[in-house]
Amino acid sequence: MIPAPTSPSANADWLARSLAAVWHPCTQMRHHAQAGEAQHLPLIPIARGSGAWLYDFDGRRYLDGISSWWTNLFGHANPRLNAALKDQLESLEHVMLAGFTHQPVVELSERLAALTGGVLGHAFYASDGASAVEIALKMSFHYWRNLGRPEKREFLCLAGSYHGETVGALAVTDVALFKDAYAPLVGNPARVLPSPDARLALDNESAAAVARRAAAALAVHLERHGERTAALIVEPLVQGAAGMVMYDPEYLRLARALCDRYEVHLIGDEIAVGCGRTGTFFAHEQAGIHPDLLCLSKGISGGYLPLSVVLCRSTIHAAFLDDSTARAFLHSHSYTGNPLACRAALATLDIFARDNVLAANQRRAEQLAAALEPLAAHPQVRHLRQRGMIAAFDVMTDDPHFSRRFYRAALDHAALIRPIGNTIYWMPPYIVDDGEIAHLGAATQAALARALT
Ligand SMILES: *Cc1c(COP(=O)(O)O)cnc(C)c1O
């Protein structure tokens, strides 16, 4: 099904024009121009997508092993999502959400609330994940202020946490590469507490024991500083940008109890791990708890359009109800609650319900595990781990260019697998079939062999 090339050098044309005019994200642009060198990062013009595959202009294809930065759930150019969006385009593309409302935003809010068992019954919208994080932080602080407790203004995050790259979100992000350059801009940096990272197990310690150790550090901190703490923000079960760091649900149970005890909000950042990624629709379900504020984005629109949402408890919403406008949450973005994005999200939730996606993903996750199994014996592979539709392992190597070498080699084997440092992970769309999972396994093994020579 590879399309005929539009011209022999179509890729090269788009590549040159992009390098001249587009500033690409998360990239040292110079690396794109250094073909043949160890640090070279290829830039690939994509003509179209279909299912789990991306096609370039020269007819080569790549299996999207990381769901286009963790956004895509049901494949590219999904016919059902396309149909829903075409239908929505005919009636309403956008209207401001202050003073107006519309069918997709009402239905989406109702359905998301229902998915939390009605516990998080109010939905506030934005476009990107980082904006949702900023909203959650501001909402928490402003809630305490409205309650006459403005001293509760400190935030807590976990070692290795990633919550986005706007200045406010960087305050709760602990990834030096993204944060250090802007440290002088970050006004109120969060206190960083130990991560429950299961790899930190000592001797024969279980993952639950590591979680209890990390929670004990949280308890010590809250005992001393709980009065001044507004919220703890966590990525439930998997710290994505830290390198798919996985931890035991016990941490979330203990953190929930400590947050209750010290009157501190628990913010669940499920921007990456929500929408079925870890096996349950929300990752926090596996701990049997609810956060007070829940951030969603990425997969919520099926990977189609920028949409983020913060769900909160009615007690939080109620603390803003007053005659005074200053006590209201005055935050807004121009595209807040965009009807097209909300409609894509509704079509995404329809697919979850009609196709029983969570049950199907259980079998798919087992297939991912089986495809990863041969790597367990590799002498340089450590910490093979999996939670639902995320699988990862670390590679022992001193080569500073390992991740580039692997990335390029995987592309040569028709797979988009973009390591984080020395961590290689799979986070494919939920529609990958047996053959595609086998392809992912074979491409990973071949790319690993090449990157290590
Ligand atoms: C991606 C991500 C964000 C930021 O979302 P953007 O849409 O990229 O701003 C925040 N938190 C987590 C856990 C993420 O994975």
Side-chain angles (χ1 to χ4, degrees):
M1 299 300 270
I2 295 175
T6 36
S7 87
S9 61
N11 262 359
D13 287 350
W14 287 113
L15 181 59
R17 285 170 63 184
S18 196
L19 287 179
V22 182
W23 196 338
H24 292 269
C26 200
T27 300
Q28 169 49 267
M29 290 297 291
R30 199 163 181 208
H31 292 161
H32 277 323
Q34 292 169 311
E37 294 181 41
Q39 67 271 25
H40 178 235
L41 187 70
L43 178 65
I44 300 168
I46 292 300
R48 65 183 189 89
S50 176
W53 296 88
L54 295 164
Y55 296 83
D56 71 13
F57 286 84
D58 291 345
R60 296 191 54 190
R61 63 177 197 162
Y62 309 91
L63 186 70
D64 191 350
I66 61 163
S67 298
S68 284
W69 256 354
W70 322 347
T71 57
N72 192 288
L73 300 190
F74 301 119
H76 297 277
N78 182 290
R80 289 145 89 184
L81 282 155
N82 287 5
L85 281 171
K86 282 176 189 157
D87 180 66
Q88 185 60 40
L89 267 176
E90 296 301 327
S91 55
L92 180 66
E93 82 299 333
H94 185 63
V95 64
M96 58 194 280
L97 201 63
F100 296 87
T101 195
H102 52 81
Q103 186 176 346
V105 81
V106 172
E107 287 182 2
L108 180 59
S109 307
E110 290 172 351
R111 286 174 68 175
L112 290 174
L115 284 167
T116 68
V119 174
L120 306 175
H122 298 269
F124 196 100
Y125 290 88
S127 313
D128 293 291
S131 309
V133 167
E134 303 242 354
I135 287 163
L137 299 177
K138 285 175 69 177
M139 234 177 223
S140 173
F141 167 73
H142 200 164
Y143 168 90
W144 295 116
R145 185 167 173 266
N146 280 351
L147 259 59
R149 303 180 70 181
E151 72 284 0
K152 283 176 90 67
R153 57 188 293 269
E154 291 179 5
F155 292 98
L156 309 177
C157 64
L158 298 179
S161 61
Y162 179 88
H163 297 289
E165 315 218 17
T166 53
V167 173
L170 280 179
V172 289
T173 287
D174 181 45
V175 179
L177 191 61
F178 301 143
K179 186 170 188 176
D180 284 1
Y182 311 103
L185 302 184
V186 176
N188 183 22
R191 178 63 178 259
V192 179
L193 295 175
S195 164
D197 182 351
R199 294 174 305 179
L200 301 175
L202 308 164
D203 305 325
N204 289 327
E205 207 180 20
S206 67
V210 180
R212 283 192 286 274
R213 236 177 339 113
L218 172 63
V220 167
H221 183 84
L222 287 177
E223 175 63 40
R224 292 185 57 198
H225 304 289
E227 291 284 313
R228 284 186 275 138
T229 305
L232 162 70
I233 183 166
V234 297
E235 296 159 84
L237 299 186
V238 184
Q239 296 182 281
M244 299 302 153
V245 167
M246 300 190 185
Y247 63 88
D248 195 275
E250 179 73 358
Y251 185 78
L252 298 174
R253 278 189 287 276
L254 294 169
R256 175 71 276 176
L258 287 165
C259 286
D260 286 341
R261 177 152 162 221
Y262 291 99
E263 297 184 300
V264 165
H265 288 140
L266 179 61
I267 302 174
D269 176 352
E270 299 218 9
I271 289 165
V273 296
C275 303
R277 195 43 87 173
T278 66
T280 43
F281 191 80
F282 297 121
H284 63 249
E285 292 170 41
Q286 293 177 47
I289 60 122
H290 289 284
D292 301 299
L293 294 145
L294 175 64
C295 303
L296 301 174
S297 188
K298 293 201 167 114
I300 189 66
S301 68
Y304 262 60
L305 286 163
L307 178 70
S308 65
V309 54
V310 178
L311 302 177
C312 76
R313 290 178 190 266
S314 53
T315 45
I316 293 178
H317 179 258
F320 290 80
L321 299 175
D322 195 87
D323 288 334
S324 153
T325 305
R327 285 174 68 105
F329 193 61
L330 299 182
H331 190 103
S332 69
H333 296 285
S334 308
Y335 284 100
T336 291
N338 174 261
L340 285 165
C342 289
R343 187 65 188 273
L346 285 168
T348 298
L349 295 184
D350 283 343
I351 294 177
F352 269 101
R354 293 194 189 136
D355 292 5
N356 205 356
V357 168
L358 295 178
N361 274 359
Q362 253 171 34
R363 290 189 297 278
R364 217 167 259 120
E366 284 164 18
Q367 289 164 340
L368 289 180
L372 211 52
E373 174 58 28
L375 288 157
H378 192 288
Q380 279 160 280
V381 168
R382 298 279 187 288
H383 300 298
L384 211 65
R385 55 196 181 272
Q386 186 179 6
R387 177 78 68 179
M389 291 295 289
I390 308 174
F393 60 88
D394 303 335
V395 179
M396 296 293 118
T397 168
D398 297 331
D399 178 0
H401 300 300
F402 167 76
S403 81
R404 299 292 166 78
R405 284 188 214 285
F406 180 91
Y407 178 65
R408 292 191 305 256
L411 288 171
D412 286 343
H413 286 92
L416 160 46
I417 307 168
R418 190 180 154 118
I420 300 172
N422 288 357
T423 298
I424 292 169
Y425 71 94
W426 295 346
M427 202 158 160
Y430 304 164
I431 45 90
V432 280
D433 63 23
D434 296 6
E436 288 160 347
I437 291 172
H439 176 85
L440 212 48
T444 301
Q445 288 187 51
L448 188 62
R450 213 172 91 196
L452 289 174
T453 51

